[in-house]
Amino acid sequence: MVVKARSPRESIKRVFERVGVHTFSSKSDEKRCSRYSIEYGEEDGTMEMEQIGAQRTKNVLILMSDTGGGHRASAEAIRDAFHLEYGDEYRIFVKDVWKEYTGWPLNDMERQYKFMVKHVQLWNLAFHSTSPKWIHSVYLAAIAAFYAKEVEAGLMEYKPDVIISVHPLMQHIPLCVLKWQNLHKKVIFVTVITDLNTCHRTWFHPSVNRLYCPSEEVAKRALQDRLKESQIRVFGLPVRPSFVQPGLCKDELRVELEMDPHLPAVVLMGGGEGMGPVNKTANSLGEALFDKQLDKPIGQLIIICGRNHTLASTLQSLHWKIPVKIRGFEKQMQKWMAASDCIITKAGPGTIAEALIKGLPIILNDYIPGQEKGNVPYVVENGAGVFTRSPKETARIVAEWFSTKRDELRRMSENAVQLAQPNAVFDIVRDIHGLACHRSILPNVPYLLTSSFSTLIY
């Protein structure tokens, strides 16, 4: 069999067409322009691509993974905030580069995570055993060396001016690649921590341009891990802009959502996968929120089942004495929260941050060991909620809040609003925009490709 090989010049051209490597010319003016100047080196087989014009749309690559719903939610919140604040000044890519470009174990993190959180002791062991810096540094360095070319291709596919990591395993390897390729001075790299209080040490890397922390406690840990105060900003957890933007009042939302206009409402969250003791808690609430003496309900219930279709079908088949709304995977959570009076959820950071913005007292009924454990005292000690794993105790608390302890419900709602940081996502993107504006443009610095494409040299 005869295989026809492409010429070096043609191969290099195809690589550049995919990667789109570019730089700026010192002769360029300040006008936006999409024209490129391309020169080929006939003797050494290299090619130089030059973009003319300093004012251009900047590319932002957000690195995430679907290991839990919070990372994608934060990534999409940042994307939406960029669009609202700066329009077409930025082109945003939300990508799981590990899944798309690398091999095992990086491309299988989602399945591995779901398996371990279903066996919580296994996850607890993995979380704490990899916390020492020498352990995860060696592990990540080995993976970085093994998948360097794949990660390089994934990053350069999008020609990023800014890279934003919203996942603890997406700092070390991309930063290693940028440093190897001498791009660490050209590309802005920031980390947005999406764990509210307790977080793994892989979140902290001293080479980032900025580390955005959701709380002072996380910022203290970052300082202990050799980050400088000048690198750290404490803005809060990024939440979708729709939770902050003005909307309908509670009465109008209840009409839109076909809820009872008068009864207080509790939201029971099952998470994106419908996890937690949702079934037992829902049944206990159905009993506790019905006044047998008056023969009428004292509250109404909204159940978010996520992607758990079996759970939703089971709950829909039951006979309820109180008004109940059963929802699947919900994309309008800001409306259901705004129309309600309290919420029951596991200690996921995103849901907690959203509930605080809407002023909802929180009943935490579970947490994932490791990253979610610290969220419980964060809520309870700030007077914004309580913790109990008992479905009956949960139902009793809600029934009291809706009847004899309305003052406690109101007080916790006020504490929730005070603890909330609704502008966090806008503060983050504005600060990133400031970094991008102050990053000097390097004149006349071409990328040169060697035949192996293993390095990029200036």
Side-chain angles (χ1 to χ4, degrees):
M1 181 177 65
V2 178
V3 179
K4 182 179 179 180
R6 297 182 184 275
S7 67
R9 174 170 172 170
E10 185 178 358
S11 298
I12 294 171
K13 180 179 179 181
R14 286 177 60 83
V15 169
F16 263 94
E17 287 174 349
R18 176 171 174 79
V19 175
V21 179
H22 63 276
T23 186
F24 295 97
S25 169
S26 59
K27 300 177 181 179
S28 61
D29 56 26
E30 295 297 318
K31 297 180 181 179
R32 181 176 296 180
C33 182
S34 60
R35 182 169 56 87
Y36 292 89
S37 172
I38 302 175
E39 296 181 3
Y40 293 90
E42 296 293 345
E43 295 181 358
D44 58 7
T46 62
M47 183 183 77
E48 180 178 321
M49 178 176 282
E50 184 175 51
Q51 181 175 344
I52 308 301
Q55 297 301 320
R56 61 181 180 87
T57 300
K58 296 180 178 66
N59 291 336
V60 176
L61 176 60
I62 305 179
L63 302 177
M64 53 73 62
S65 174
D66 285 313
T67 50
H71 302 295
R72 179 174 290 277
S74 293
E76 292 177 349
I78 294 168
R79 177 200 62 195
D80 294 347
F82 263 110
H83 289 158
L84 288 171
E85 286 290 296
Y86 302 109
D88 61 357
E89 288 186 49
Y90 292 90
R91 186 184 295 109
I92 314 296
F93 303 97
V94 177
K95 293 292 177 180
D96 185 345
V97 173
W98 284 195
K99 182 184 291 185
E100 294 182 21
Y101 287 89
T102 68
W104 191 89
L106 294 182
N107 67 350
D108 195 35
M109 288 198 303
E110 182 180 349
R111 188 186 64 83
Q112 295 170 28
Y113 177 79
K114 288 180 180 179
F115 175 81
M116 285 192 286
V117 296
K118 288 181 180 179
H119 305 81
V120 291
Q121 294 308 317
L122 181 60
W123 172 252
N124 194 32
L125 175 64
F127 184 92
H128 292 289
S129 64
T130 58
S131 182
K133 189 176 181 64
W134 71 270
I135 291 179
H136 66 250
S137 294
V138 170
Y139 170 74
L140 292 171
I143 293 180
F146 192 77
Y147 285 120
K149 290 184 180 180
E150 289 81 358
V151 174
E152 176 187 290
L155 297 181
M156 296 309 297
E157 171 80 15
Y158 304 101
K159 307 190 293 286
D161 299 279
V162 179
I163 297 177
I164 304 172
S165 169
V166 294
H167 194 279
L169 295 181
M170 294 187 176
Q171 279 72 240
H172 294 70
I173 299 175
L175 283 166
C176 283
V177 170
L178 291 178
K179 187 174 182 180
W180 290 339
Q181 310 304 348
N182 271 333
L183 294 174
H184 58 291
K185 294 182 180 180
K186 186 183 182 80
V187 178
I188 296 168
F189 194 105
V190 305
T191 296
V192 179
I193 296 180
T194 60
D195 289 326
L196 195 56
N197 196 35
T198 310
C199 56
H200 199 273
R201 291 183 67 187
T202 47
W203 278 113
F204 307 125
H205 197 291
S207 297
V208 298
N209 297 102
R210 195 78 88 218
L211 178 72
Y212 298 102
C213 298
S215 64
E216 292 291 346
E217 182 63 29
V218 173
K220 291 177 183 177
R221 294 194 181 111
L223 290 171
Q224 293 171 359
D225 262 319
R226 298 189 300 118
L227 274 90
K228 301 175 182 178
E229 287 189 11
S230 60
Q231 294 173 284
I232 299 170
R233 297 291 184 273
V234 182
F235 289 147
L237 198 76
V239 171
R240 285 168 289 179
S242 57
F243 274 84
V244 182
Q245 294 169 325
L248 299 175
C249 68
K250 179 178 287 188
D251 291 340
E252 293 171 327
L253 283 171
R254 289 191 170 188
V255 172
E256 178 184 329
L257 300 173
E258 298 180 348
M259 296 170 60
D260 187 289
H262 306 296
L263 290 174
V266 55
V267 177
L268 173 57
M269 294 288 295
E273 305 300 324
M275 297 172 63
V278 179
N279 199 340
K280 292 181 179 179
T281 304
N283 281 280
S284 296
L285 286 165
E287 294 294 327
L289 296 182
F290 185 80
D291 191 320
K292 294 180 180 178
Q293 293 182 345
L294 298 176
D295 194 33
K296 66 177 184 179
I298 61 172
Q300 57 185 316
L301 173 62
I302 297 101
I303 309 172
I304 309 298
C305 299
R307 297 183 181 89
N308 193 331
H309 303 297
T310 302
L311 173 64
S313 298
T314 300
L315 294 172
Q316 287 169 349
S317 66
L318 299 177
H319 173 72
W320 298 93
K321 299 177 183 179
I322 64 173
V324 175
K325 294 287 184 183
I326 300 169
R327 309 290 298 181
F329 186 81
E330 185 57 61
K331 296 183 178 180
Q332 298 290 324
M333 274 310 304
Q334 72 277 7
K335 291 185 177 181
W336 291 103
M337 286 191 185
S340 300
D341 299 277
C342 64
I343 188 169
I344 304 165
T345 179
K346 79 177 186 70
T351 302
I352 290 174
E354 292 168 353
L356 295 177
I357 290 173
K358 293 302 181 183
L360 295 182
I362 306 168
I363 299 179
L364 298 173
N365 60 3
D366 203 359
Y367 61 83
I368 296 175
Q371 74 269 26
E372 289 185 357
K373 185 177 181 179
N375 297 347
V376 175
Y378 180 83
V379 170
V380 175
E381 293 174 6
N382 284 289
V386 298
F387 174 76
T388 176
R389 281 195 171 99
S390 168
K392 290 185 177 180
E393 178 70 8
T394 297
R396 183 191 63 79
I397 293 170
V398 175
E400 289 180 348
W401 281 351
F402 288 177
S403 56
T404 59
K405 295 187 177 181
R406 290 180 180 269
D407 288 343
E408 181 179 301
L409 182 69
R410 177 184 52 79
R411 186 169 59 254
M412 284 193 171
S413 177
E414 293 171 354
N415 292 339
V417 172
Q418 291 178 0
L419 191 59
Q421 295 171 298
N423 295 317
V425 70
F426 293 105
D427 291 338
I428 289 170
V429 299
R430 288 166 188 157
D431 192 68
I432 294 173
H433 175 69
L435 290 174
C437 289
H438 285 89
R439 174 57 55 96
S440 60
I441 298 172
L442 302 177
N444 197 25
V445 187
Y447 288 102
L448 296 178
L449 292 185
T450 65
S451 58
S452 66
F453 194 50
S454 60
T455 58
L456 289 168
I457 59 174
Y458 289 115

